[in-house]
Amino acid sequence: MSGDCEVSPGNSECLESVNYPEYYDNSEKCIVHAIEPSGPIAIEDWNTESTYDYLAVNGQKYTQDAAVYVKAYTQLDGIVPSGDLVWSADSTKNAK
């Protein structure tokens, strides 16, 4: 794992932004390598800027709301990751 994220102090299987539950900072990026075999992703809390801040899993970007080139984060539940999970926030609005 590298970048602007951490393992939750309350759940070793949960990743969160460094400021969670407060807003994350602009221009954050985090890369986590999924160890195979890995279990499915379960979303417990998600609040990001739509379209521009995303989590990429298995080469697909997921964000707050679906758009032409990204899927809604609700479609992440149950996805089994392989390779890197990449969190990226742009330099404007942010959330938690």
Side-chain angles (χ1 to χ4, degrees):
M1 178 170 49
S2 65
D4 302 304
C5 61
E6 62 186 10
V7 174
S8 172
N11 181 351
S12 64
E13 295 181 353
C14 183
L15 296 173
E16 56 191 38
S17 63
V18 177
N19 294 337
Y20 183 84
E22 302 302 320
Y23 282 16
Y24 54 83
D25 292 329
N26 293 331
S27 303
E28 285 193 346
K29 185 166 187 175
C30 175
I31 300 172
V32 176
H33 184 72
I35 299 172
E36 296 182 36
S38 181
I41 292 174
I43 303 298
E44 293 183 13
D45 191 8
W46 183 287
N47 184 8
T48 66
E49 179 187 11
S50 295
T51 309
Y52 302 105
D53 299 350
Y54 64 85
L55 176 66
V57 179
N58 300 344
Q60 175 63 55
K61 292 180 182 179
Y62 297 86
T63 189
Q64 186 74 25
D65 299 310
V68 174
Y69 58 93
V70 295
K71 292 186 177 183
Y73 77 94
T74 53
Q75 295 174 290
L76 266 170
D77 268 333
I79 299 276
V80 176
S82 62
D84 290 339
L85 289 82
V86 180
W87 160 251
S88 181
D90 71 355
S91 62
T92 59
K93 296 180 185 176
N94 51 28
K96 66 176 182 176

